[in-house]
Amino acid sequence: MNKLDSAGHTIHFEANLAPLAEILESNKYSKIFVFVDRNTSELCLPQFQEMLGDFTGFDLIETDPGEENKSIDFCIGIWKTLLDFGADRKCLMINLGGGVITDMGGFVASTYKRGIDFINIPTTLLSQVDASVGGKTGIDVDNVKNMVGTFTLPQAVFIETSFLNTLPKRELLSGFAEMIKHGLIVDKDYYTELQGVDYEKIEAKAIYRSVEIKNDVVTEDPHEKGLRKILNYGHTIGHAIETYSLINDNAPLTHGEAIAIGMICEAFLSAKNNTLSNEELDNISSYILKLYPKYHIKEKSFDQLLEFMQSDKKNENGEIMFSLLSRIGACDFNCRVSKTDILDSFAYLN
Ligand code: NAD
Ligand code: ZN
């Protein structure tokens, strides 16, 4: 259980960064940059350096933490910093952080001088089981999540669960939502197993199973022509709720909290428009509500949420597309749903 081969790159699992040390020693790269946010600079960088034998041969690029910084303004700053450091096409960028760092760092690297190599070292549960794997890079534009980006695989991904030791509980719960999603869309046994797990004490083998599921799906359909869309289960509504919360709430929801709520709404839609049974719908919504804070959507906000959903990248010909469960452990994509049903799914939350 220490290596997963994916299309064009390797995901190293609990390898203590040893293969990275080899890459760095190979002198393949003219310069090494490590991209962090303020939190991962303080909490993860020392461990990263120690694992590599007190490694100091890099320049640090540090940004502010948070989704609101996953923007073109920050990218321009990073591109300029790379230029100031004299970075050529043979340099390497190591993204050490959560999904914001791996998404934005990957985007900057895949576009700087038409593309330099990058390596992801995810330090949140969410980025370990999801964001760092699969080659999607990107940034938000105005209120639209991941609006601009590329499909570019990192050279490698290193998953070290010891980085999670400093992660706040709320962030663990955020990543756990994607693990629940993995079970719901392809593996009923895994979903059932997770129901018996304390999310504060997740074992490496569960994280590995999630990475394996994500990797299998993206290897089969790297550019989201079809099957990969099942990974968007919970995200059509979840992304709209995430954006809504970012704008309207004093303490916005995390990505995973929003997706958890989205998964309840989309389970409702799966029961209405696909073959998910009412019993399974009850199981999913009561399990999620046991773990995640209840989120009340006011009726006057329904239109704004629909508006956000209109900008979803999965839409075709202006129609909102959903990935809906046919049962726990199986998911269909390109499902159409009426506006009334979507509104009913918001009301189902209340
Ligand atoms: P994040 O990067 O904002 O991290 C969450 C918080 O945890 C931040 O404050 C960060 O500084 C802090 N942090 C990171 N590592 C830490 C550690 N080890 N100890 C303590 N604090 C730490 O966000 P995230 O939740 O990791 O990821 C969410 C992002 O990922 C969203 O932008 C989402 O769109 C994106 N995403 C992308 C994909 C993809 O396929 N590319 C998939 C899922 C999610
Ligand atoms: Zn997600």
Side-chain angles (χ1 to χ4, degrees), residues 156-331:
V157 180
F158 291 89
I159 297 175
E160 303 291 345
T161 57
S162 54
F163 281 119
L164 304 181
N165 293 341
T166 54
L167 199 65
K169 247 165 83 168
R170 190 173 174 208
E171 295 298 341
L172 276 176
L173 192 58
S174 177
F176 196 61
E178 304 283 6
M179 297 173 74
I180 295 172
K181 179 193 78 182
H182 290 146
L184 286 174
I185 59 175
V186 296
D187 186 346
K188 184 177 178 180
D189 289 345
Y190 179 52
Y191 171 75
T192 309
E193 218 174 278
L194 288 178
Q195 287 183 306
V197 162
D198 175 353
Y199 75 88
E200 288 183 64
K201 299 186 199 108
I202 303 168
E203 287 182 23
K205 82 172 194 318
I207 296 176
Y208 185 84
R209 177 65 191 132
S210 262
V211 176
E212 197 174 43
I213 290 172
K214 166 115 196 213
N215 187 48
D216 284 350
V217 173
V218 301
T219 303
E220 200 159 315
D221 175 23
H223 294 109
E224 203 167 299
K225 302 272 186 245
L227 181 73
R228 187 173 179 158
K229 293 179 186 177
I230 65 171
L231 292 167
N232 293 322
Y233 171 66
H235 283 64
T236 307
I237 292 180
H239 272 158
I241 291 174
E242 185 180 8
T243 307
Y244 173 86
S245 172
L246 212 55
I247 297 169
N248 294 292
D249 297 339
N250 291 332
L253 296 173
T254 60
H255 177 74
E257 284 166 349
I259 294 322
I261 297 159
M263 287 196 289
I264 297 181
C265 294
E266 294 182 23
F268 173 88
L269 294 175
S270 302
K272 196 109 200 256
N273 294 275
N274 204 346
T275 53
L276 189 77
S277 71
N278 283 328
E279 203 187 341
E280 289 172 303
L281 167 62
D282 285 347
N283 177 304
I284 295 167
S285 59
S286 60
Y287 175 49
I288 290 177
L289 286 174
K290 216 169 62 191
L291 285 175
Y292 294 83
K294 200 164 163 46
Y295 194 71
H296 181 79
I297 304 175
K298 294 184 198 81
E299 219 169 308
K300 67 174 189 324
S301 314
F302 284 9
D303 282 345
Q304 198 181 7
L305 284 166
L306 279 177
E307 220 172 275
F308 293 145
M309 288 166 66
Q310 291 294 347
S311 329
D312 195 279
K313 289 182 297 305
K314 293 182 304 302
N315 295 351
E316 281 178 19
N317 305 321
E319 239 186 315
I320 301 170
M321 292 294 204
F322 284 87
S323 298
L324 297 180
L325 304 174
S326 53
R327 59 176 173 81
I328 290 178
C331 190

Side-chain angles (χ1 to χ4, degrees), residues 49-74:
Q49 288 183 271
E50 197 190 311
M51 282 169 142
L52 293 170
D54 295 325
F55 175 60
T56 53
F58 61 90
D59 289 304
L60 194 68
I61 302 182
E62 188 176 314
T63 187
D64 294 335
E67 182 74 27
E68 63 277 21
N69 301 312
K70 208 174 106 176
S71 69
I72 193 71
D73 296 334
F74 274 79

Side-chain angles (χ1 to χ4, degrees), residues 37-41 43-44 47 64-68 70 96-103 122-138 140 145-146 162-168 171 174-175 178 181 214 218 228 231 235 239 242 254-256 259:
D37 68 25
R38 219 179 318 109
N39 295 331
T40 61
S41 175
L43 298 167
C44 306
Q47 187 189 334
D64 294 335
E67 182 74 27
E68 63 277 21
K70 208 174 106 176
L96 179 70
V100 168
I101 292 298
T102 56
D103 271 16
T123 61
T124 62
L125 181 60
L126 190 131
S127 58
Q128 295 196 345
V129 298
D130 197 348
S132 67
V133 174
K136 274 190 186 176
T137 80
D140 307 336
K145 274 197 55 90
N146 307 324
S162 54
F163 281 119
L164 304 181
N165 293 341
T166 54
L167 199 65
E171 295 298 341
S174 177
E178 304 283 6
K181 179 193 78 182
K214 166 115 196 213
V218 301
R228 187 173 179 158
L231 292 167
H235 283 64
H239 272 158
E242 185 180 8
T254 60
H255 177 74
I259 294 322

Side-chain angles (χ1 to χ4, degrees), residues 87-108:
D88 61 18
R89 269 186 170 168
K90 278 185 66 192
C91 67
L92 171 73
M93 181 125 151
I94 299 176
N95 301 317
L96 179 70
V100 168
I101 292 298
T102 56
D103 271 16
M104 184 156 69
F107 177 67
V108 164

